[in-house]
Amino acid sequence: MNETLRSLNRVILAFPVLGLFLCNTAPAERPNILFLFSDDHAIKSISSYGGPLAAVAPTPNIDRIAAQGAVFTNSFCANSICGPSRATILTGKHSHKNGFMRNGNTFDPKQWTVAKSLQAGGYNTAVIGKWHLKTNPVGFDHWEVFPGQGNYYNPVFIQMDGTKKRFEGYATDLTTQKAIDWLDGRDKTKPFFLMCQHKAPHRTFAPALRHLGSFDDVQIPEPETLFDNYYNRHSSLASNEMEIDRHFDWAYDAKVRKDERGNIQLPKPDRYGTPEYNRMTPAQKQEWDRYFSPQNQEFLKDYASGSLSDEDIVRWKYRRYMRNYLSTVKAVDESVGQMLDYLDANGLAKNTIVIYSSDQGFFLGEHGWYDKRWMFEESFRMPFLIRWPNMIQPGSRPSQLIQNIDYAPTFLDAAGLTTPAEVQGKSLLPLFKKGPKNWRDSLYYAYYELGEHAVPQHFGVRTDRHKLIYFPKSDEWNLYDLEEDPNEMKSVHDQPDYKAVRGALTAEFNRLREKYEAPPFAPSKGRR
Ligand code: SGN
Ligand code: CA
């Protein structure tokens, strides 16, 4: 009897009812689940999603998952912010049901999670890297996670005994190595569930030193909406605090340190220092400076000469942002390659489900922005690629509307375990089979944060063509026709020719709020 079957038998002996269920439905060998995850990775910077960046910034390893499995082309989050997205993945529920509605909340570790079910169902479970839920991971046989947001250079990992250990190196590489080490030493009598969760490409977009300059010789295309004027939509767009122009910090984000500037005064914002640079060893700082300093001096000279227009400066910052962001993605892509190679080398590829995803999307200059939060396409969309040999058609591109509430039931379904009735998502497995599919036509979205980057609370519904957004604070609505206006530059909510669409979407919004038992709109206190 092979190892997996032996472990399956043990589960069946321990849980006779479950055993019945497993025998009827699960394949003989339950699949391993490798969940590769990053933070703030926009689909436009994954080449298998296509688009103008694909040619200049390919992600060959993530694309391996696409070629051998499926790319979900309409994958979305329930709440476009870090902790809430992670809590939704673990619980299969919208934020109001798992209690983690904003980054400032604390995850209640007593509640049901997919990790707990997989662990109890016979899986060897682990999470490594970014966690960001305040309380320590529960339901994992092994964990080693960053405190809070974590750092890029020489990061600290919290150990299972509660101590904090600092490791020299780059966060993405260290996370990968730790994941591989765990796989090597895991309990091989059981199938595994491993969540390998990177900090990158999150702010402050700090690349591995070996990748500095990787995108200097390519022309990075600019989004059409880089100079959005915020007309014709909700007034809060104009009062945002996430513009490359007005809010991209000179030292912190654009990497022009104060001590490099001589007597040249840069305009605002210049609020933060250089915490990542400060963490580096002298040798690391030298490498960083060797790359950034000459470019910074050239920019400062041009700036001081007065030859740069406001638009030139935005464009310079956009290029700097994108070069760094895409460089952090390059390390994530390499990590994916290493993990896939590990599966190949150890005979695990065939029976391992591999997922690549990220907690939400991100603005790569669209609407002039960095950051996320909005229900606009760039931040609402979440990458979701999945490979499962013999179960998923290689190169497929399912277009159904899926959401992060669906991950937990998918994992459980694949493992032959029962999904609790309270879970709000649906298993994606039926979408891999041929034939007609009974799937949802709309998605519910809820963003509850109170002020960071000055994005107001908003709630909405999206169908394949339309998006309705409600802003409770000002009791205003926006409606977008994604076919006519894919860049979401104009709300048609008050246009008479959209009366019928508006009525249908409002009814759908109310239906979903009822279905998911969403709470009434109520302003909460505080900023986070
Ligand atoms: C930090 C970032 C913000 C970011 C939030 C949420 N500032 O506060 O720019 O929007 O995290 O990101 S930073 O100075 O700490 O980088 S999330 O991915 O954790 O939700
Ligand atoms: Ca995030």
Side-chain angles (χ1 to χ4, degrees), residues 3 16 30 85 140 155 214 233 265 301 401 423 432 435 515 519:
E3 283 171 357
R30 296 195 295 165
S85 176
F140 295 94
S214 296
R233 284 150 292 168
Q265 297 285 322
K301 197 172 84 212
L401 296 170
V423 166
F432 304 142
K515 172 184 159 87

Side-chain angles (χ1 to χ4, degrees), residues 39-40 81-83 103 130 132 149 202-204 252 359-360 370-373 452-453 528:
D39 194 352
D40 294 1
I81 194 75
C82 185
N103 269 344
K130 184 162 173 186
H132 207 203
Q149 293 280 5
H202 190 274
R203 199 177 181 193
T204 56
Y252 193 68
D359 58 353
Q360 2 71 205
Y370 63 98
D371 214 68
K372 52 264 180 173
R373 301 162 189 274
E452 201 176 11
H453 291 287
R528 295 178 72 104

Side-chain angles (χ1 to χ4, degrees), residues 79 83-102 105-108 111-112 133 405 424:
N79 180 355
S85 176
R86 290 155 201 265
T88 288
I89 289 169
L90 288 169
T91 61
K93 295 176 197 160
H94 280 279
S95 306
H96 63 273
K97 285 286 180 184
N98 63 45
F100 204 105
M101 296 154 84
R102 305 187 291 275
N105 290 140
T106 299
F107 188 74
D108 173 7
Q111 69 184 303
W112 177 87
L133 292 171
I405 52 172
Q424 296 182 315

Side-chain angles (χ1 to χ4, degrees), residues 7-126:
S7 77
L8 186 62
N9 270 357
R10 246 201 323 273
V11 176
I12 291 169
L13 287 176
F15 305 94
V17 177
L18 184 65
L20 251 185
F21 176 74
L22 286 176
C23 291
N24 288 337
T25 59
E29 286 205 19
R30 296 195 295 165
N32 305 304
I33 303 169
L34 176 58
F35 186 68
L36 305 175
F37 196 60
S38 60
D39 194 352
D40 294 1
H41 195 175
I43 61 165
K44 284 188 183 168
S45 51
I46 296 176
S47 37
S48 40
Y49 271 98
L53 277 176
V56 296
T59 48
N61 292 299
I62 299 175
D63 293 355
R64 273 161 76 183
I65 304 177
Q68 296 161 2
V71 177
F72 276 81
T73 57
N74 284 306
S75 156
F76 297 85
C77 58
N79 180 355
S80 181
I81 194 75
C82 185
S85 176
R86 290 155 201 265
T88 288
I89 289 169
L90 288 169
T91 61
K93 295 176 197 160
H94 280 279
S95 306
H96 63 273
K97 285 286 180 184
N98 63 45
F100 204 105
M101 296 154 84
R102 305 187 291 275
N103 269 344
N105 290 140
T106 299
F107 188 74
D108 173 7
K110 291 195 294 298
Q111 69 184 303
W112 177 87
T113 67
V114 67
K116 287 183 182 178
S117 254
L118 288 167
Q119 187 184 46
Y123 272 70
N124 194 191
T125 57

Side-chain angles (χ1 to χ4, degrees), residues 220-422:
I220 296 175
E222 283 174 10
E224 289 167 27
T225 59
L226 183 60
F227 296 98
D228 193 345
N229 56 20
Y230 310 122
Y231 293 169
N232 301 318
R233 284 150 292 168
H234 190 256
S235 56
S236 57
L237 268 69
S239 49
N240 77 83
E241 292 175 7
M242 49 199 271
E243 275 170 44
I244 294 169
D245 180 6
R246 294 185 300 138
H247 310 105
F248 201 70
D249 200 84
W250 279 107
Y252 193 68
D253 295 311
K255 322 293 181 214
V256 184
R257 285 202 320 281
K258 286 189 182 148
D259 62 297
E260 291 180 291
R261 298 182 204 161
N263 52 13
I264 298 170
Q265 297 285 322
L266 290 175
K268 286 181 176 165
D270 214 0
R271 283 190 292 173
Y272 309 109
T274 50
E276 286 292 348
Y277 181 82
N278 301 347
R279 300 181 62 79
M280 291 191 191
T281 63
Q284 291 170 334
K285 283 182 179 166
Q286 229 179 18
E287 218 173 319
W288 169 284
D289 287 336
R290 212 176 13 249
Y291 172 70
F292 283 112
S293 293
Q295 293 193 8
N296 288 349
Q297 289 314 319
E298 201 185 318
F299 169 74
L300 287 164
K301 197 172 84 212
D302 291 347
Y303 180 80
S305 76
S307 64
L308 301 177
S309 68
D310 289 350
E311 287 199 354
D312 290 338
I313 296 171
V314 171
R315 293 204 150 98
W316 187 88
K317 287 205 267 186
Y318 168 74
R319 272 198 307 278
R320 172 61 57 97
Y321 163 39
M322 289 308 294
R323 284 173 179 168
N324 288 332
Y325 180 95
L326 295 171
S327 297
T328 68
V329 168
K330 205 171 161 72
V332 172
D333 187 66
E334 285 176 359
S335 164
V336 171
Q338 281 173 267
M339 299 303 289
L340 295 179
D341 289 348
Y342 181 92
L343 298 182
D344 287 341
N346 290 276
L348 292 165
K350 206 171 138 222
N351 199 33
T352 299
I353 300 175
V354 180
I355 292 111
Y356 182 79
S357 181
S358 187
D359 58 353
Q360 2 71 205
F362 212 68
F363 293 99
L364 303 180
E366 299 89 357
H367 306 293
W369 291 338
Y370 63 98
D371 214 68
K372 52 264 180 173
R373 301 162 189 274
W374 295 95
M375 198 191 169
F376 289 126
E377 292 294 277
E378 293 80 3
S379 53
F380 185 23
R381 284 186 182 272
M382 235 171 130
F384 191 84
L385 301 95
I386 179 164
R387 182 183 85 173
W388 189 4
N390 301 321
M391 301 294 281
I392 297 177
Q393 179 69 30
S396 51
R397 297 180 77 82
S399 60
Q400 285 87 0
L401 296 170
I402 68 160
Q403 208 164 18
N404 48 352
I405 52 172
D406 301 325
Y407 300 6
T410 303
F411 300 163
L412 293 175
D413 200 6
L417 298 169
T418 322
T419 296
E422 78 222 40

Side-chain angles (χ1 to χ4, degrees), residues 446-478:
Y447 173 78
Y448 297 93
E449 294 228 346
L450 304 164
E452 201 176 11
H453 291 287
V455 179
Q457 288 192 344
H458 58 288
F459 303 83
V461 58
R462 187 198 191 281
T463 62
D464 60 347
R465 172 159 178 187
H466 296 106
K467 187 184 290 180
L468 180 72
I469 309 179
Y470 178 56
F471 297 87
K473 196 167 173 199
S474 53
D475 192 22
E476 281 175 87
W477 298 82
N478 273 186

